[in-house]
Amino acid sequence: MKQSCITIIGAGQIGSRHLQALCHLESLSRIDLVDPSDESLQTAKIRYEEIASSVNQAIEIHYHNNLDALPDSLDLVIIATNSLVREEVLRDVIRKRLVKNLILEKVLFQKIDQYMKVEGLLNESSIPTWVSCWMRTTDLYKKIKSLLDYGEEIQMKVEGPQWGIGCNSIHFLDLFSFLTLTEDFKFTKIELENKVLESKRTGFKEFFGRLAGQSSHGHSLELICHKTGEEATMVKILNGSKSFQVSGLLGNVIFKTSIKNEICMEETSLPYQSQLTHIWANDILEKGLCDLPTYTTSMPLHLELVSVLISHFRKITGKEIDTCPIT
């Protein structure tokens, strides 16, 4: 049996969770984790071994500080660095190795022109590329999609405290695109606070307030992020006489439906990253596709969000800024 070669670049919080998930791969695999920080590599190794010890597997794992020791041909590369260096890392690995498939973490890039440049690079290289917007890949949101009436308008609202308009709005934009079967979206109301705060991640910023807009088909999305509060973040979807509500973003959540005045409430779960990546990897390696959005699908949504946040950043700083420091 041929050994698959999978590389994760970036051993931070997300990268280490991708690594944990890959211990569930069923096929013979070599996994390489690359990060310049020995401390990050060690933390990721500990997290991996916490799970891998209980899994029957045939996985060979290697840890590196740079790309030089990677195999010449890579079946799948997951770039889980921060957005500031992602384009540089992407170009570097494509230049040095034969890359067959890519998964890129979000938010993709901080500058508008980077999206078009990378689009050209990926087209030129003919590398199938997906973006790690995971919500559309879950059973719960697939179930909601199957129950929607596309003859009726779809209204989606996300509201809660500190969920991160900067770093996480793209997840909800992608979910909205998935549920409404549309790939275009325009923000029409920007009511963000006139103060940008430091993100949990050093060197990056976060936003609070309200964003709202709609697709060309008239479906609407509203995103509200409060600075304080203890309540769970809610995802609400109205669709004619039907309504759906998910209370919570990860782990155990409450799912409430109302269809033809029949109300049903149940406890279910949304998976963590450490429960997902191996599913995507298996699909890509075996079928050449997966449930994640492609780069082509995700790029317009990223551009809309990044453009709005850069404009707001310019307004409150009074500077000609062309970079959105979110990750």
Side-chain angles (χ1 to χ4, degrees), residues 49-190:
E49 291 175 350
E50 284 173 357
I51 293 181
S53 60
S54 63
V55 179
N56 181 19
Q57 55 179 317
I59 293 177
E60 176 188 331
I61 187 158
H62 302 266
Y63 301 89
H64 316 285
N65 292 123
N66 54 58
L67 304 177
D68 296 342
L70 293 178
D72 292 335
S73 179
L74 307 175
D75 295 298
L76 174 62
V77 175
I78 300 170
I79 300 183
T81 64
N82 64 50
S83 58
L84 185 62
V85 300
R86 187 167 293 120
E87 182 192 1
E88 178 186 351
V89 169
L90 172 60
R91 291 184 179 278
D92 204 19
V93 70
I94 290 177
R95 184 172 65 250
K96 293 180 175 179
R97 296 294 184 268
L98 173 62
V99 177
K100 297 181 181 178
N101 297 281
L102 276 165
I103 294 176
L104 305 179
E105 266 302 332
K106 43 51 64 188
V107 172
L108 285 167
F109 314 109
Q110 297 186 2
K111 295 185 177 183
I112 297 299
D113 64 349
Q114 289 180 291
Y115 289 86
M116 278 64 83
K117 289 177 181 177
V118 169
E119 181 185 37
L121 174 66
L122 295 175
N123 288 338
E124 182 183 311
S125 308
S126 298
I127 303 174
T129 303
W130 294 268
V131 178
S132 184
C133 290
W134 59 271
M135 288 183 170
R136 67 162 64 206
T137 74
T138 63
D139 291 340
L140 178 57
Y141 286 114
K142 286 179 181 178
K143 177 180 179 179
I144 292 175
K145 183 176 181 178
S146 72
L147 296 171
L148 291 173
D149 179 356
Y150 288 97
E152 297 282 354
E153 182 181 297
I154 297 169
Q155 298 171 288
M156 177 173 155
K157 180 179 180 180
V158 180
E159 183 171 10
Q162 301 180 9
W163 55 260
I165 274 189
C167 63
N168 285 318
S169 284
I170 192 63
H171 281 306
F172 298 116
L173 277 166
D174 182 72
L175 178 61
F176 176 80
S177 172
F178 171 69
L179 294 175
T180 61
L181 308 177
T182 55
E183 295 183 5
D184 65 288
F185 180 83
K186 184 74 176 174
F187 282 114
T188 54
K189 295 180 181 177
I190 294 95

Side-chain angles (χ1 to χ4, degrees), residues 17 24 32 57 63 79 116 118 121 140 144 150 158 185 197 209 217 219 235 237 240 244 253 262 265 285 290 301 322:
R17 301 307 180 189
H24 298 289
D32 292 85
Q57 55 179 317
Y63 301 89
I79 300 183
M116 278 64 83
V118 169
L121 174 66
L140 178 57
I144 292 175
Y150 288 97
V158 180
F185 180 83
L197 301 178
H217 291 76
H219 304 305
V235 178
I237 298 156
F244 309 90
V253 300
E262 184 176 328
M265 188 178 296
L285 296 174
C290 78
L301 301 175
D322 67 351

Side-chain angles (χ1 to χ4, degrees), residues 151-280:
E152 297 282 354
E153 182 181 297
I154 297 169
Q155 298 171 288
M156 177 173 155
K157 180 179 180 180
V158 180
E159 183 171 10
Q162 301 180 9
W163 55 260
I165 274 189
C167 63
N168 285 318
S169 284
I170 192 63
H171 281 306
F172 298 116
L173 277 166
D174 182 72
L175 178 61
F176 176 80
S177 172
F178 171 69
L179 294 175
T180 61
L181 308 177
T182 55
E183 295 183 5
D184 65 288
F185 180 83
K186 184 74 176 174
F187 282 114
T188 54
K189 295 180 181 177
I190 294 95
E191 299 169 357
L192 297 174
E193 292 190 13
N194 288 325
K195 185 177 182 182
V196 178
L197 301 178
E198 294 298 323
S199 166
K200 295 176 185 176
R201 297 176 177 87
T202 305
F204 298 96
K205 306 297 182 182
E206 195 46 89
F207 300 80
F208 294 89
R210 175 177 178 266
L211 294 172
Q214 61 183 32
S215 73
S216 59
H217 291 76
H219 304 305
S220 62
L221 172 66
E222 183 179 17
L223 304 173
I224 303 172
C225 183
H226 303 296
K227 208 180 294 184
T228 59
E230 300 295 328
E231 67 276 11
T233 295
M234 296 271 202
V235 178
K236 299 178 181 178
I237 298 156
L238 298 179
N239 175 224
S241 62
K242 302 177 181 180
S243 69
F244 309 90
Q245 179 176 294
V246 180
S247 176
L249 297 179
L250 285 169
N252 293 331
V253 300
I254 302 298
F255 177 44
K256 181 180 177 182
T257 63
S258 176
I259 300 176
K260 294 182 179 178
N261 295 320
E262 184 176 328
I263 298 173
C264 177
M265 188 178 296
E266 62 181 291
E267 186 172 315
T268 184
S269 64
L270 284 169
Y272 292 93
Q273 189 65 66
S274 58
Q275 299 168 306
L276 286 171
T277 314
H278 63 293
I279 300 171
W280 308 338

